[in-house]
Amino acid sequence: GLMGNLLKVLACAELEHGPIVFLDFEHAQPTEAETAVWNQVSAVLEEAHGILAELQSYNGAGQEIREAIQNPGDLALQEKAWNAVCPLVAKLKRFYEFSLRLENALRSLLEALTSPPYAPMQHLEREQALAKQFAEILHFTLSFDELKMTNPAIQNDFSYYRRTISRNRLNNQQLDAENEVNNEMANRMSLFYAEATPMLKTLSNATTKFVSEVQFPENKTLPIEDTTDCLSTMACVCRVMLETPEYRCRFTNTDTMLFCMRVMVGVIILYDHVHPVGAFAKTSKIDMKGCIKVLKEQPSNSVEGLLNALRYTTRHLNDDSTSKQIRALLQ
């Protein structure tokens, strides 16, 4: 399994932010208290694998579109391009709708992992199955965005679809109504796919919104630190596992290393979007230097996407509060 021996034996010494909790990501089973949320998130995660497979095999209709544009008078080529693009747009719509379900799943997890009276560390210890699901959502998110970033066909196909639709509305042709993505949906999808990292944007918006809105029965708003401490704790756990040879040698397959790195980068980026001063400042609870060093020790083909995610999808990297040293490491 992907989780390999992830965190099986992570009972670390005291670290700069206190002891690290042992998260048994591999074998964590939901307790009775976790079951309701766990089932909800499980249903979403079960679909995630298929979504990635579909995105991986997404080839686009570049050829058909080019021929149609070069021969505007040839109706057969116009039809061929349209017929090639429609099923692709149906896929893109599915991906977009999945992002909304992912957002709901994340919200439920955040509620569970931050509710009083427990500290973030206690939450991660008590709700290990939910912590594991949270990690899997982040892993999916970075995998999805990495595939999307390297596939220009997606935006190309979608903008061709929109141009054709608006042209045909003018020409008043009948379009296959069942397949058509209505205008409002098309606008929302456009915004989604215009993002370099659409799934990450969805998650960070959802997390920010969660922190600003959530009210507990005793009517006290959740302090933002409760959410960000949960994130920094997870980043710390992953970093320690990656940089400690005696943990690392227990990973049976390279996928586990990659999983661990993705989760670490995912929580860093979320932290950076949600925390007012971000992940890179001196006051940050994440050891950014350590995290970046761990990534840079890996073969570059497996981490280039992750380093780019830190470079281009964080909010605070270029703030004055970021040390020159950290900036140099990401150069």
Side-chain angles (χ1 to χ4, degrees):
L2 189 69
M3 305 307 276
N5 294 336
L6 197 53
L7 300 180
K8 194 175 288 180
V9 278
L10 190 62
C12 308
E14 298 277 321
L15 282 149
E16 60 275 65
H17 306 309
I20 277 285
V21 60
F22 163 63
L23 286 183
D24 186 353
F25 271 169
E26 198 182 15
H27 299 109
Q29 289 302 313
T31 59
E32 210 169 317
E34 294 168 89
T35 305
V37 172
W38 192 87
N39 286 338
Q40 181 208 339
V41 179
S42 249
V44 176
L45 282 171
E46 266 162 34
E47 222 179 300
H49 194 71
I51 297 269
L52 284 182
E54 266 189 80
L55 179 56
Q56 184 109 46
S57 63
Y58 186 104
N59 290 323
Q63 180 73 32
E64 292 90 336
I65 290 173
R66 262 193 310 282
E67 288 177 359
I69 291 171
Q70 281 158 9
N71 307 282
D74 187 328
L75 285 178
L77 287 177
Q78 308 310 308
E79 189 148 325
K80 192 180 170 198
W82 177 251
N83 290 336
V85 162
C86 279
L88 293 171
V89 169
K91 267 185 194 185
L92 294 179
K93 182 180 177 198
R94 253 199 319 281
F95 299 163
Y96 169 71
E97 287 173 334
F98 182 72
S99 78
L100 304 178
R101 298 184 51 210
L102 199 68
E103 193 177 340
N104 287 333
L106 179 80
R107 196 186 170 91
S108 303
L109 283 177
L110 286 174
E111 262 166 33
L113 289 170
T114 54
S115 58
Y118 305 106
M121 200 57 112
Q122 294 170 297
H123 269 297
L124 290 181
E125 225 159 358
R126 293 168 56 90
E127 286 125 14
Q128 301 213 349
L130 297 186
K132 173 186 168 181
Q133 286 185 321
F134 185 55
E136 285 178 333
I137 284 182
L138 286 162
H139 185 263
F140 163 80
T141 298
L142 271 89
S143 307
F144 182 95
D145 286 349
E146 221 171 295
L147 288 170
K148 186 265 173 188
M149 268 198 255
T150 51
N151 196 337
I154 288 176
Q155 275 171 285
N156 193 24
D157 294 345
F158 195 61
S159 55
Y160 177 80
Y161 175 83
R162 296 201 74 182
R163 285 198 309 276
T164 307
I165 274 197
S166 56
R167 224 189 14 251
N168 288 342
R169 284 214 180 93
L170 295 174
N171 304 344
N172 222 346
Q173 283 174 1
Q174 277 299 288
L175 292 172
D176 174 1
E178 185 188 4
N179 272 333
E180 196 187 334
V181 170
N182 71 31
N183 218 12
E184 189 219 348
M185 174 58 100
N187 286 334
R188 300 212 312 261
M189 284 169 65
S190 244
L191 289 171
F192 179 77
Y193 288 111
E195 292 290 340
T197 52
M199 284 293 171
L200 196 63
K201 187 74 176 146
T202 302
L203 290 198
S204 62
N205 287 349
T207 309
T208 307
K209 201 167 158 235
F210 167 76
V211 171
S212 64
E213 281 175 3
V214 77
Q215 288 273 328
F216 285 106
E218 48 279 34
N219 215 5
K220 81 175 185 44
T221 320
L222 180 77
I224 191 160
E225 268 69 29
D226 283 21
T227 301
T228 52
D229 284 0
C230 171
L231 299 174
S232 55
T233 302
M234 285 184 86
C236 191
V237 167
C238 289
R239 174 179 57 77
V240 170
M241 286 203 336
L242 288 164
E243 69 189 9
T244 315
E246 47 284 36
Y247 298 137
R248 224 175 35 214
C249 69
R250 292 193 172 85
F251 292 165
T252 46
N253 62 13
T254 45
D255 280 358
T256 308
M257 286 284 283
L258 196 58
F259 181 87
C260 209
M261 291 189 282
R262 281 221 165 98
V263 171
M264 181 178 79
V265 169
V267 284
I268 289 169
I269 295 167
L270 261 190
Y271 181 100
D272 193 58
H273 278 262
V274 175
H275 196 285
V277 288
F280 297 96
K282 294 245 184 328
T283 52
S284 155
K285 289 192 176 166
I286 295 178
D287 168 12
M288 282 306 303
K289 265 186 247 142
C291 290
I292 296 167
K293 278 187 184 136
V294 157
L295 290 173
K296 294 201 121 174
E297 284 161 10
Q298 311 307 319
S300 66
N301 60 350
S302 63
V303 293
E304 203 42 43
L306 295 177
L307 288 168
N308 282 339
L310 288 176
R311 286 175 191 127
Y312 307 121
T313 65
T314 47
R315 269 173 67 174
H316 296 280
L317 176 60
N318 297 314
D319 291 6
D320 296 338
S321 52
T322 303
S323 76
K324 288 193 176 60
Q325 216 183 343
I326 287 177
R327 237 176 270 170
L329 273 176
L330 278 176
Q331 236 48 140

